């Protein structure tokens, strides 16, 4: 059995998928984060139900944008047994416009009024039984956060499995829609899908779309009431402050600064503790290696390299990644992450990037590979290339951020210089690409979620998902890389690069071994700082080296994805640009930083 979740952006479809199936989906809490289908499964009795989360669409299903096309093709071509329309109940009138369209898809329809916890906190009362009568389908109050309505949904699915899902009665909903249209002084019945499906020569122009909105507003007014006393929340006042253009941006920058300081303090505090805990492990490993291998150069190098190589990923990197995971989860669940996207959009306007381009750029701070895929929402090929170039070179993923913090802590590097270099590179590269390609900027309306107090259970789940990926994918590479670097250093192999020492010192002010770390970014950017952590650098050298690493070549997964998205020729230009930006950054910092 196949069930499809359909709704406007940022209504909680991914959260509902997780609540119903347990599928581990990172819910980013801002519009446009999904451009592909996400699937989860749940068993009721002996039957398996596949639930599919689709990209958010506003209206209408007759349109042809990338997100709408994915959803429309799924509903029209695949064997869908049930459509679940997820509605943001706090914005009932706007969301019901899509609901009215879905009534014409000739598919069984269930409407979930999500975020009912917020509806009540705002003093709103929705008569869902009356709404169900007007629509001619089942309507269930729901909250993905609290779990309200989950039992009712499973009961509905269980009955549907045994009795079958009833199709919406066309006479009921079409008659009711006609009543709403007449009350609004509009003649269109609003069934855009039916017009498209029947290939009628009807074009839903702005006037007809506006008529659909009027019907949705009229329906919302019939089923929506407000309590005499509306509850005023401190979060609402804070939301008004944060959403101010100038003052809100300053508040968001302050939050970033505080989060960064906490990150540095936490990693510095845990380093000594983990080193103390690991000391017996290091001694045991060194003892075992010397006992197994005969005395000599190999035994000496491996006993020291493996023991010390294990320490760095656990003592320096693990705490940083842990704090970055918590910070990202808090930003997502509080609703602040979407507001950072708005701030990024204001910067993007200077660079000529459209508002929609902010979505993949914001996703890149989690992982750049899916962010490159997310550029598919951009219709302009030149703009896609610009955004993929910025993602590949300038935007650091969460793992890289953690490694940067580890280097700053280990060598007392200058965070202001590192952050300033990345910001200037972003602006400079963006302006250069704007001049080169002349990308036309488009306006975008943002769907800002409300500010929330995050639930501890949700935060723990997100950190667990990210940390599991760290332990299964990142940590093994870090351990192998760290041991390998330590062995190379202790064995003297890296002395062969001393021949370019004069060049790297003159141009960048860093030893040759640190320059090797810049080249390692072609494999994986977050692995490169491990070379630095195994070297003896002063704060100035560490600042220059980590800045060059943060602004360098795209890692191998990003290269493969970019090749698929924009082709080998454009990928080659991105790599060349990355090298130029990295070398320029190192040269400039070497000139301006005091020796």
């Amino acid at each position: 059995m196949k069930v499809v979740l359909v709704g406007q952006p940022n209504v909680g479809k991914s959260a509902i998928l997780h609540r119903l199936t347990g599928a581990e989906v990172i819910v980013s809490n801002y519009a446009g984060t999904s451009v592909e289908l996400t699937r989860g499964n749940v068993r009721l009795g002996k039957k398996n139900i596949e639930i599919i989360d689709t990209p958010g669409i506003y209206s209408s299903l007759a349109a042809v944008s990338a997100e709408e096309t994915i959803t429309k093709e799924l509903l029209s071509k695949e064997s869908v047994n049930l459509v679940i329309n997820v509605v943001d109940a706090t914005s009932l009138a706007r969301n019901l416009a899509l609901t009215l369209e879905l009534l014409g898809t000739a598919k069984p329809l269930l409407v979930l009024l999500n975020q009912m916890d917020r509806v009540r906190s705002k003093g709103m009362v929705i008569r869902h039984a009356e709404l169900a009568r007007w629509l001619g389908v089942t309507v269930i109050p729901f909250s993905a956060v609290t779990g309200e309505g989950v039992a009712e949904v499973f009961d509905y699915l269980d009955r549907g499995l045994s009795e079958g899902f009833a199709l919406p009665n066309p006479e009921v909903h079409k008659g009711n829609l006609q009543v709403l249209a007449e009350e609004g002084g509009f003649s269109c019945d609003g069934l855009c899908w039916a017009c498209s499906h029947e290939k009628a020569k009807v074009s839903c122009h702005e006037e007809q779309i506006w008529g659909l909105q009027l019907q949705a507003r009229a329906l919302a007014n019939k089923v929506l009431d407000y309590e005499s006393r509306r509850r005023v929340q401190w979060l609402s006042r804070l939301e008004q402050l944060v959403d101010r253009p100038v003052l809100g941006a300053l508040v968001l920058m302050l939050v970033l600064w505080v989060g960064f300081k906490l990150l540095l303090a936490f990693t510095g505090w845990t380093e000594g503790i983990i080193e103390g805990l690991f000391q017996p492990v290091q001694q045991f490993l060194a003892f075992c290696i010397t006992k197994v291998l005969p005395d000599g150069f190999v035994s000496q190098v491996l006993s020291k390299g493996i023991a010390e190589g294990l320490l760095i990923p656990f003592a320096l990197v693990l705490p940083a990644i842990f704090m970055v995971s918590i910070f990202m989860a808090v930003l997502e669940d509080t609703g602040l992450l979407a507001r950072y996207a708005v701030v990024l959009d204001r910067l993007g306007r200077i660079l000529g990037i459209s508002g929609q381009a902010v979505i993949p750029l914001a996703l890149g701070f989690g992982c750049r590979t899916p962010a490159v895929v997310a550029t598919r929402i951009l219709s302009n090929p030149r703009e896609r290339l610009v955004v993929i170039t910025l993602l590949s070179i300038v935007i650091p993923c969460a793992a890289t951020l953690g490694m940067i913090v580890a280097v700053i802590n280990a060598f007392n590097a200058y965070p202001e210089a590192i952050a300033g270099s990345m910001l200037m590179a972003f602006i400079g590269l963006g302006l250069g690409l704007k001049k080169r390609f002349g990308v036309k900027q488009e306006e975008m309306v943002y769907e800002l979620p409300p500010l929330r107090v995050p639930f501890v259970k949700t935060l723990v789940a997100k950190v667990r998902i990210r940390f599991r990926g760290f332990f299964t994918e990142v940590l093994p590479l870090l351990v192998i890389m760290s041991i390998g670097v330590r062995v190379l250093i202790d064995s003297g192999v890296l002395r062969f690069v001393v021949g370019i020492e004069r060049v790297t010192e003159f141009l960048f002010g860093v030893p040759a071994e640190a320059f090797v770390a810049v080249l390692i970014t072609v494999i994986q950017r977050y692995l490169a700082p491990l070379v630095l952590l195994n070297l003896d650098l002063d704060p100035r050298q560490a600042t220059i080296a980590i800045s060059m690493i943060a602004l360098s070549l795209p890692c191998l997964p990003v290269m493969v994805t970019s090749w698929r998205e924009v082709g080998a020729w454009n990928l080659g230009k991105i790599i060349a640009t990355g090298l130029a930006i990295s070398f320029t950054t190192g040269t400039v910092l070497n000139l301006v930083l005091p020796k």
Side-chain angles (χ1 to χ4, degrees), residues 399-416:
T400 302
L401 284 173
M403 295 299 295
I404 291 173
V405 171
V407 170
I408 292 173
N409 265 338
F411 301 105
N412 293 318
Y414 313 138
E416 297 82 4

Side-chain angles (χ1 to χ4, degrees), residues 504-521:
T504 60
E505 284 282 1
F506 175 75
L507 290 178
F508 313 123
V510 298
E513 295 92 341
F515 181 73
V516 171
V518 178
L519 302 180
I520 291 176
T521 56

Side-chain angles (χ1 to χ4, degrees), residues 266-292:
F266 179 78
T267 52
W269 173 68
T270 56
E271 181 182 352
I273 298 176
I274 296 177
E275 284 183 357
L277 294 174
F278 251 79
Q279 190 172 6
V281 177
Q282 288 179 292
Q283 294 173 349
F284 176 73
L285 286 174
F287 174 78
C288 291
I289 292 172
T290 53
K291 287 295 183 182
V292 172

Side-chain angles (χ1 to χ4, degrees), residues 376-424:
R376 294 174 185 173
I377 65 176
L378 305 176
S379 57
N380 188 327
R382 290 188 173 186
E383 187 176 19
R384 283 195 70 198
L385 181 57
V386 169
V387 175
I388 289 175
T389 303
L390 290 172
L391 280 169
S392 301
I393 299 172
V394 183
I395 302 297
C397 66
T400 302
L401 284 173
M403 295 299 295
I404 291 173
V405 171
V407 170
I408 292 173
N409 265 338
F411 301 105
N412 293 318
Y414 313 138
E416 297 82 4
I418 298 169
S421 299
M422 297 175 71
L423 180 60
M424 294 304 296

